[in-house]
């Protein structure tokens, strides 16, 4: 099954034992050069300079390089206001991103994705729906968290259906490792939320274990406590296919203490 938001690491790119967060997943990814439609290209050229940023100074052949981002991000200047901030890692084509941002207009959302075509699809949807509280970053979510996001600045982090890397020898490439979850906790405000979802049983067990082992996070019960962001997300077409195939979606919600 194809998953929106999945990012695939290059073979041979190892972990970083020297990182202060412990072991983080590989930080280099292949860039799929899927061609944009004429409409997508026109929207990209018109809106990307305002709504999008490249996480580093690199470029794909044939594309105009962005100006490198200053760290940490000045989100107040970028959005033109001060508001609670949510980071979504691996937004894919942005179905969930758009719907959840529309439902919470008082919350600002930064959507991170490595693939240009997915970001172009989201950019076109933002344009069509005139949604003003989404910004986009093209790059690796771990690098964005590590290099661009200030400590205790996020009200929420969303990770929906990351690549499960099902083979045992590839488990080290999974996004939600101990080091990444520690980094997420460091970037969350007290009371901030980590919301993750997967339809892969083995990855669900892994996510639950690493999330529960992080001392700054506790499981949240959305039915009995108030959370600063909504955890109600739309069912995407990929999730529908998974459910029809008999897969069960596991949701995880932690709160920073």
């Amino acid at each position: 099954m194809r998953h929106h938001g999945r990012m695939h690491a290059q073979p041979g790119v190892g972990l970083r034992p020297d990182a202060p967060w412990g072991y983080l997943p590989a930080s280099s990814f292949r860039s799929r050069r899927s061609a944009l439609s004429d409409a997508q290209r026109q929207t990209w050229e018109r809106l990307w300079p305002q709504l999008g940023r490249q996480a580093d100074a690199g470029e794909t052949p044939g594309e105009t390089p962005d100006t490198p981002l200053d760290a940490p991000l000045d989100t107040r200047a970028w959005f033109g206001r001060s508001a609670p901030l949510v980071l979504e890692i691996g937004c894919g084509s942005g179905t969930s991103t758009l719907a959840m941002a529309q439902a919470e207009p008082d919350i600002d959302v930064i959507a991170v994705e490595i693939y240009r075509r997915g970001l172009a699809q989201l950019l076109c949807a933002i344009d069509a729906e005139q949604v003003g509280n989404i910004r986009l970053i093209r790059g690796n979510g771990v690098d964005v968290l590590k290099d661009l996001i200030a400590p205790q600045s996020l009200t929420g982090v969303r990770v929906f259906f990351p690549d499960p890397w099902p083979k045992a020898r590839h488990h080290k490439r999974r996004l939600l490792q101990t080091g990444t979850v520690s980094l997420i906790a460091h970037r969350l405000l007290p009371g901030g939320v980590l919301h993750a979802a997967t339809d892969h049983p083995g990855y669900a067990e892994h996510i639950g274990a690493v999330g529960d082992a992080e001392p700054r996070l506790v499981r949240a019960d959305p039915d009995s406590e108030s959370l600063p962001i909504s955890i109600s997300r739309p069912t995407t077409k990929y999730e529908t296919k998974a459910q029809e195939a008999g897969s069960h979606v596991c949701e995880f919600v932690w709160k920073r203490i």
Side-chain angles (χ1 to χ4, degrees):
M1 186 187 75
R2 179 186 172 191
H3 280 62
H4 68 289
R6 286 189 173 173
M7 301 181 291
H8 298 273
Q10 289 180 350
V13 177
L15 305 180
R16 297 189 50 197
D18 60 324
W21 316 108
Y23 288 90
L24 295 176
S27 60
S28 182
F29 295 83
R30 295 191 190 99
S31 182
R32 293 176 182 168
R33 295 191 62 195
S34 300
L36 304 186
S37 68
D38 288 341
Q40 288 173 340
R41 185 176 297 104
Q42 290 170 9
T43 301
W44 184 281
E45 292 173 353
R46 178 166 51 89
L47 292 181
W48 183 259
Q50 174 190 353
L51 302 182
R53 295 290 187 274
Q54 181 84 21
D56 54 41
E59 62 178 295
T60 299
E63 296 177 17
T64 302
D66 288 352
T67 301
L69 288 169
D70 293 329
L73 277 173
D74 185 350
T75 57
R76 184 171 184 174
W78 199 11
F79 284 91
R81 67 176 185 176
S82 180
L85 184 65
V86 169
L87 185 75
E88 182 179 354
I89 300 175
C91 67
S93 60
T95 302
S96 298
T97 313
L98 185 76
M100 298 177 84
Q102 286 177 305
E104 297 183 300
D106 294 331
I107 289 178
D108 291 337
V109 179
I110 295 177
V112 181
E113 176 58 58
I114 194 68
Y115 300 122
R116 186 173 181 235
R117 187 167 186 176
L119 290 170
Q121 289 175 294
L122 177 54
L123 205 58
C124 289
I126 290 170
D127 188 37
E129 299 290 333
Q130 291 297 290
V131 178
N133 59 327
I134 301 175
R135 301 292 184 270
L136 298 81
I137 295 180
R138 187 180 181 194
N140 171 20
V142 173
D143 290 341
V144 171
L145 275 167
K146 180 169 58 69
D147 299 331
L148 299 175
I149 303 299
Q152 297 192 34
S153 63
L154 297 175
T155 300
V157 174
R158 291 169 174 150
V159 185
F160 299 150
F161 303 100
D163 196 317
W165 292 103
K167 294 182 180 179
R169 68 178 183 271
H170 294 155
H171 285 181
K172 63 185 179 180
R173 299 178 182 174
R174 288 172 168 174
L175 173 66
L176 292 175
Q177 305 275 11
T178 299
T180 314
V181 172
S182 175
L183 178 57
I184 289 170
H186 188 261
R187 298 312 193 237
L188 285 171
L189 287 160
V193 170
L194 168 58
H195 181 195
T198 182
D199 64 346
H200 188 277
Y203 200 10
E205 184 177 353
H206 173 86
I207 292 171
V210 297
D212 289 340
E214 169 52 49
R216 288 165 292 191
L217 298 179
V218 294
R219 292 269 189 149
D221 183 357
D223 295 327
S224 63
E225 60 183 300
S226 177
L227 298 175
I229 62 171
S230 171
I231 62 162
S232 176
R233 57 178 185 81
T235 301
T236 67
K237 63 181 180 180
Y238 306 115
E239 185 177 347
T240 299
K241 289 180 181 179
Q243 292 173 340
E244 290 173 351
S247 297
H248 173 68
V249 175
C250 294
E251 301 268 356
F252 299 91
V253 182
W254 285 279
K255 183 171 65 174
R256 161 126 190 207
I257 56 176

